[in-house]
Amino acid sequence: MTSSLRLGINIDHVATVRNARGGDHPDPLRAAKIAEEAGADGITAHLREDRRHIRDGDIDRLMSEISLPLNLEMAATDEMLEIALKHGPHAACLVPERREERTTEGGLDAAGSITRLGPIVSALNERGVRVSLFIEPAKAQLDAARTLHAPVVELHTGRFCDLWREGDEAGAEEERQRIAEMARYGASIGLEVHAGHGLGYDNVAPIAALAEVRELNIGHYLVGEAIFVGLGESIREMRRLMDAARAEAGEAA
C-alpha cells in the first residue's frame, strides 16, 4: 500500500514581494490561510539572518493564527536556536545559509558538522521540536542525521530540477535514481524522508512517485504561478499532480 504524500507550502516569497515595497501587503499569514484552504498539510517559513523575507513578527503571527503545523527553516546559529526554542514550532529544518546567496544553495553538510550541530539538534529535540536536516541525497549525510538523532531529513532536489529544466534527460534520470536510492536508504535506517527545492508542475511527478518520500516542500514556483492563476489554484493543481503521480506509482508497484 502506497503511503500518502504531504504537501508543505513555503510562503517566503510572498514576504519577498511584500518587502520589495515595504508595508504589509501581500501578507504571508493570509497566504498560509489560503494554503490551508487549498489542501496544504503544513506551512514552511525561513527566518533568515538578514530577514530578507520572513520577519520575526511573521513567526509570531503564524504560530498564533494558523492551525497547520509550522516548519521553521533556520540556520544552525545561536540566534535562530533561541528563536526556535522560544516559539516551539512543530518542526525546525536546519539549512545552510550564506548572506550573499539568492536562495538556499545545496544541502547542509551534516557529516562534516556533527560537533557543531549536535547541541542544536539536542536542544530542539528536548523542546519537542521535530528536527529536520536539509541535506544532499548522500549516504554519509543520512548516516550523520541518524547519528545526530534528527528524525527527519529533507533531500535537496535542486540538481534534479536544474538538469530537468536544461533538457538533460539522462542526467535528470540519474539524479532521480540517486534520490530514490537515498530515500530508500534513509527510510531503512529509521529516518522520515522529505524532499524539496526547485519543484514545479513539470517535474514534481518523478519525485512524488517515490514511495519512501513522505512530504514535499514547495514554495517559489507556486508563488510565481499564483500571479497568473491565484495562490489557491496553484496549490490545488500541485496537489492534484502529486496525488496522481503517487496513485500511479502505487498501481504500478
Side-chain angles (χ1 to χ4, degrees):
M1 181 177 178
T2 304
S3 62
S4 61
L5 179 62
R6 298 190 301 269
L7 173 59
I9 301 299
N10 187 316
I11 58 171
D12 289 351
H13 293 292
V14 176
T16 302
V17 175
R18 174 195 63 189
N19 296 351
R21 291 284 296 269
D24 300 321
H25 183 76
D27 183 2
L29 176 61
R30 183 181 176 191
K33 291 181 176 180
I34 291 171
E36 181 173 15
E37 293 171 0
D41 299 293
I43 299 298
T44 293
H46 185 176
L47 185 66
R48 281 181 171 267
E49 178 191 19
D50 60 9
R51 309 308 199 263
R52 70 177 65 169
H53 30 235
I54 294 295
R55 304 169 184 160
D56 298 71
D58 295 324
I59 301 300
D60 293 333
R61 295 171 67 222
L62 289 166
M63 286 295 300
S64 64
E65 298 187 42
I66 65 170
S67 57
L68 289 179
L70 177 65
N71 174 36
L72 176 64
E73 286 191 350
M74 54 179 273
T77 65
D78 291 341
E79 179 197 15
M80 291 302 153
L81 176 60
E82 182 180 350
I83 291 169
L85 295 177
K86 171 188 172 184
H87 288 288
H90 169 74
C93 184
L94 301 182
V95 301
E97 185 176 309
R98 295 189 304 120
R99 186 179 288 270
E100 63 270 24
E101 69 187 358
R102 287 181 295 176
T103 186
T104 304
E105 299 172 351
L108 185 72
D109 181 16
S113 310
I114 288 177
T115 300
R116 179 173 64 89
L117 295 176
I120 295 173
V121 174
S122 294
L124 291 168
N125 281 337
E126 290 173 9
R127 178 67 169 84
V129 178
R130 200 153 189 254
V131 181
S132 174
L133 303 182
F134 183 73
I135 58 173
E136 292 298 321
K139 188 174 182 292
Q141 302 300 337
L142 291 159
D143 288 338
R146 188 182 185 196
T147 298
L148 286 162
H149 302 290
V152 182
V153 293
E154 181 172 340
L155 301 182
H156 178 228
T157 56
R159 185 169 186 271
F160 163 76
C161 294
D162 288 343
L163 291 166
W164 181 283
R165 294 201 169 100
E166 290 166 5
D168 185 349
E169 294 183 9
E173 175 57 20
E174 181 179 353
E175 183 65 10
R176 187 202 66 81
Q177 289 182 14
R178 182 166 78 111
I179 294 168
E181 180 183 357
M182 290 301 102
R184 287 191 295 271
Y185 178 71
S188 77
I189 61 173
L191 300 171
E192 181 171 312
V193 180
H194 300 177
H197 199 82
L199 296 170
Y201 292 161
D202 60 336
N203 59 20
V204 73
I207 304 300
L210 302 177
E212 292 79 13
V213 174
R214 301 286 299 280
E215 179 174 306
L216 299 181
N217 284 296
I218 305 175
H220 180 267
Y221 182 90
L222 294 176
V223 173
E225 191 67 13
I227 294 170
F228 307 106
V229 302
L231 183 59
E233 183 56 35
S234 74
I235 292 170
R236 281 188 287 272
E237 176 63 9
M238 183 60 76
R239 173 89 269 172
R240 185 190 69 79
L241 292 167
M242 287 169 49
D243 290 346
R246 196 63 154 217
E248 184 176 345
E251 291 170 1

